[in-house]
Amino acid sequence: MTGAEQRKKLQSQIWAIANDVRGAVDGWDFKQYVLGTLFYRFISENFALYIEADDDSINYAELSDSVITPEIKDDAIKTKGYFIYPSQLFANVAKNANTNESLNTDLAKIFVEIESSANGYPSEGDIKGLFADFDTTSNRLGNTVKDKNARLADVIKGVARLDFGDFDDSKIDLFGDAYEFLISNYAANAGKSGGEFFTPQHVSKLIAQLAMHKQTSVNKIYDPACGSGSLLLQAKKHFDAHIVEEGFFGQEINHTTYNLARMNMFLHNINYDKFNIKLGNTLIDPHFGDDKPFDAIVSNPPYSVKWIGSDDPTLINDDRFAPAGVLAPKSKADFAFVLHALSYLSSKGRAAIVCFPGIFYRGGAEQQIRKYLVDNNYVETVISLAPNLFYGTTIAVTILVLAKNKKDTTTQFIEASGQDFFKKEINNNVMLDKHIQQIMDLFDSKENVDHVARSVPYEEVVAKGYNLSVSSYVEAKDNREVVDIAQLNAEIETTVGKINQLRADIDAIVAEIEA
């Protein structure tokens, strides 16, 4: 079986389990149990592999908890960031899941102990609260303890049956892929709420390539509204691990999604010391100010959300917003995220940000912010994408690429919303690798291509009132059929002649019959 076939089979199995075990519970509400169980299995097997250290004589799952010395535990936590006793391993819990009458409380205790094992260690902040959304006492699992245990056992047994093969690099990839597959399917089925925390992989791939284009290495990569971490992880997938020297940084406002992002990092074998995901509102409580600047920034922030804006008079003096001389409108925070990203960007780096199209042509404060960006030569490229690429929205979004090291003052505009840049599918359009490559080739060359791409002089952008809509600079192709009027008139004349002749013939026949 090929790797692709194995992935497809595994994804089919895991989605069937996710649907079978949830019963009448809504899939969106039940997701944390399936995702949390998959995570629990991964860290158990990953930890056991670390302890065994390729020594075939050691089977960590069969050891007694009593043989674990404080030294062993201390060393393991310093390396892995957490500790799991043999009795707490997923495999040992799964063995007796169907008959364990205290399964729900046992699981809750195990999760608390795994999290608390990191207390006082550098990994404490990365481990704390990871299982917070895995509520084993929730009525979503059932009204009685027996019902709860039965549902939990079904989930555990289902995840235990999944065949990931030997625990090596390929298995780690399969675990990560399975997790992202689940997240993407939950997002697709959740509509708008799903799109708020997951960027489809094909779009993530394009954004990662734009942000890291021609950078042989970056110090670190950052997403100020990271959701489940899909954009950060796409950067890891697309480039060799060593290219991101100091790791992956992100901030997320939603607590459940924040936990998903941290789990997602572990499931893609990014150790606690190589990622830093923080909880909080990026716009009014930003983290990582001491860690900036970043060589690569990727982001798909929420579209046109409300924020405090001018109601907080101190924000206009904030280093992120002050240079523009104006704050983003209170009803539309889009440019607040853009200015935040720009402030965190290094002098050699790029930021690729998914934006709502309206911010590129509206007046008022948004026009003034565009003026600041253009006058200071920060806008490298604006790319219009196809509609219906994201979960929960059909709008054709735009990618804004910012850079602080442009070689000239032109701004590139790419019209990538046409049928040559996506494939139609039942629920959502998708960009294939060939479509992404087309966009990257245009981005790299900066060449003018009729109806597709233009590099526009600074003066022209100024003359158009700092309008940055792609349609203002790239003329749409006229797909209407070209009609040759002379030929059409000749054909009409011929047709009229034939009709007249036919009428004459019919009149002659009628006259002959009546005679």
Side-chain angles (χ1 to χ4, degrees):
M1 184 184 296
T2 66
E5 290 172 339
Q6 186 181 9
R7 276 176 167 76
K8 188 174 182 181
K9 180 181 178 181
L10 185 63
Q11 289 173 353
S12 176
Q13 290 173 338
I14 199 167
W15 190 241
I17 291 168
N19 283 321
D20 289 345
V21 299
R22 69 180 175 87
V25 185
D26 181 78
W28 183 250
D29 292 334
F30 197 68
K31 71 182 184 302
Q32 60 264 39
Y33 296 105
V34 180
L35 292 168
T37 302
L38 186 67
F39 174 71
Y40 174 38
R41 177 179 167 182
F42 174 83
I43 63 170
S44 292
E45 296 181 19
N46 188 294
F47 188 82
L49 182 71
Y50 163 75
I51 295 291
E52 292 164 3
D54 294 325
D55 186 341
D56 293 337
S57 67
I58 301 176
N59 186 330
Y60 186 63
E62 294 179 357
L63 296 180
S64 168
D65 290 358
S66 62
V67 305
I68 305 300
T69 65
E71 292 76 18
I72 292 174
K73 184 175 181 180
D74 180 68
D75 182 69
I77 298 172
K78 287 177 179 176
T79 303
K80 299 300 292 181
Y82 58 92
F83 192 86
I84 305 178
Y85 282 98
S87 65
Q88 298 172 332
L89 292 171
F90 173 85
N92 285 330
V93 172
K95 283 180 184 177
N96 306 311
N98 287 332
T99 56
N100 184 355
E101 294 181 357
S102 58
L103 177 62
N104 69 325
T105 54
D106 286 350
L107 277 176
K109 183 180 178 182
I110 288 171
F111 296 157
V112 167
E113 291 189 9
I114 291 174
E115 289 183 14
S116 62
S117 69
N119 289 350
Y121 288 85
S123 59
E124 181 177 351
D126 299 306
I127 305 299
K128 186 177 182 180
L130 271 175
F131 291 98
D133 296 301
F134 199 120
D135 184 0
T136 63
T137 64
S138 172
N139 287 335
R140 289 172 178 164
L141 294 170
N143 293 322
T144 67
V145 171
K146 183 178 180 180
D147 290 340
K148 291 178 175 63
N149 287 339
R151 184 65 55 77
L152 287 168
D154 284 345
V155 178
I156 290 170
K157 287 294 188 180
V159 171
R161 287 196 302 271
L162 295 172
D163 181 13
F164 290 98
D166 295 328
F167 202 102
D168 52 18
D169 287 342
S170 63
K171 183 176 182 180
I172 290 169
D173 286 344
L174 284 172
F175 258 111
D177 284 350
Y179 195 77
E180 285 211 45
F181 168 79
L182 274 171
I183 292 176
S184 65
N185 270 32
Y186 281 127
N189 285 276
K192 184 177 180 181
S193 57
E196 290 174 355
F197 77 96
F198 185 82
T199 304
Q201 282 197 10
H202 52 103
V203 182
S204 297
K205 185 181 293 187
L206 172 62
I207 295 169
Q209 290 189 35
L210 288 166
M212 301 181 75
H213 182 61
K214 287 189 174 178
Q215 297 199 69
T216 54
S217 67
V218 298
N219 59 354
K220 48 205 166 188
I221 188 165
Y222 169 58
D223 185 345
C226 69
S228 62
S230 56
L231 274 171
L232 292 171
L233 289 166
Q234 194 56 239
K236 177 183 184 293
K237 287 182 179 180
H238 186 68
F239 299 92
D240 294 333
H242 70 269
I243 200 170
V244 182
E245 296 165 356
E246 299 175 41
F248 304 81
F249 295 72
Q251 185 165 345
E252 171 56 34
I253 193 171
N254 180 282
H255 194 278
T256 297
T257 313
Y258 158 71
N259 284 335
L260 288 178
R262 292 189 295 159
M263 288 184 180
N264 217 355
M265 294 294 141
F266 280 110
L267 276 156
H268 284 83
N269 212 34
I270 300 176
N271 208 34
Y272 76 91
D273 57 345
K274 285 297 182 183
F275 76 83
N276 195 345
I277 308 294
K278 296 294 188 183
L279 178 66
N281 186 325
T282 294
L283 299 183
I284 61 174
D285 183 25
H287 290 271
F288 310 120
D290 294 335
D291 292 289
K292 67 179 185 180
F294 293 85
D295 289 344
I297 296 177
V298 292
S299 192
N300 178 20
Y303 308 142
S304 299
V305 294
K306 296 178 181 178
W307 75 306
I308 192 168
S310 58
D311 284 346
D312 181 351
T314 66
L315 284 174
I316 194 59
N317 298 317
D318 190 299
D319 289 343
R320 298 169 297 164
F321 311 126
V326 66
L327 296 172
K330 290 188 295 182
S331 60
K332 303 173 182 69
D334 308 74
F335 265 127
F337 284 104
V338 170
L339 292 173
H340 171 90
L342 180 67
S343 172
Y344 276 52
L345 189 64
S346 75
S347 59
K348 76 163 199 170
R350 273 197 190 90
I353 308 166
V354 181
C355 299
F356 183 79
I359 72 168
F360 294 98
Y361 60 80
R362 290 191 296 241
E366 291 178 318
Q367 183 181 31
Q368 191 169 335
I369 294 172
R370 292 197 304 272
K371 181 180 187 300
Y372 162 72
L373 295 174
V374 173
D375 285 350
N376 286 276
N377 204 30
Y378 293 137
V379 182
E380 180 175 6
T381 303
V382 183
I383 306 170
S384 178
L385 296 183
N388 204 29
L389 290 174
F390 290 79
Y391 304 121
T393 180
T394 60
I395 62 171
V397 299
T398 301
I399 296 179
L400 174 64
V401 183
L402 301 175
K404 293 183 176 179
N405 60 347
K406 288 174 60 182
K407 301 295 189 289
D408 57 46
T409 60
T410 63
T411 301
Q412 183 189 37
F413 295 88
I414 298 176
E415 174 53 76
S417 63
Q419 293 188 356
D420 291 339
F421 292 94
F422 71 94
K423 178 187 177 186
K424 277 188 172 293
E425 294 206 342
I426 296 174
N427 294 321
N428 286 86
N429 295 326
V430 297
M431 287 188 295
L432 305 179
D433 285 346
K434 66 177 183 180
H435 301 134
I436 294 172
Q437 190 58 53
Q438 283 176 263
I439 295 172
M440 290 307 302
D441 288 344
L442 291 165
F443 177 72
D444 179 62
S445 71
K446 297 294 189 289
E447 292 181 359
N448 294 335
V449 178
D450 287 347
H451 313 300
V452 176
R454 270 193 72 204
S455 288
V456 178
Y458 166 75
E459 294 77 13
E460 184 175 343
V461 177
V462 174
K464 292 195 176 183
Y466 297 93
N467 186 323
L468 292 178
S469 293
V470 174
S471 59
S472 296
Y473 301 95
V474 180
E475 183 181 359
K477 188 174 183 179
D478 189 348
N479 292 315
R480 293 175 298 178
E481 184 180 355
V482 178
V483 178
D484 186 329
I485 299 299
Q487 181 182 350
L488 180 61
N489 286 336
E491 290 175 355
I492 291 173
E493 186 176 346
T494 300
T495 301
V496 170
K498 289 180 178 178
I499 292 172
N500 290 337
Q501 182 61 51
L502 181 60
R503 285 174 175 166
D505 292 343
I506 292 172
D507 289 343
I509 292 171
V510 171
E512 185 177 338
I513 292 172
E514 291 177 344

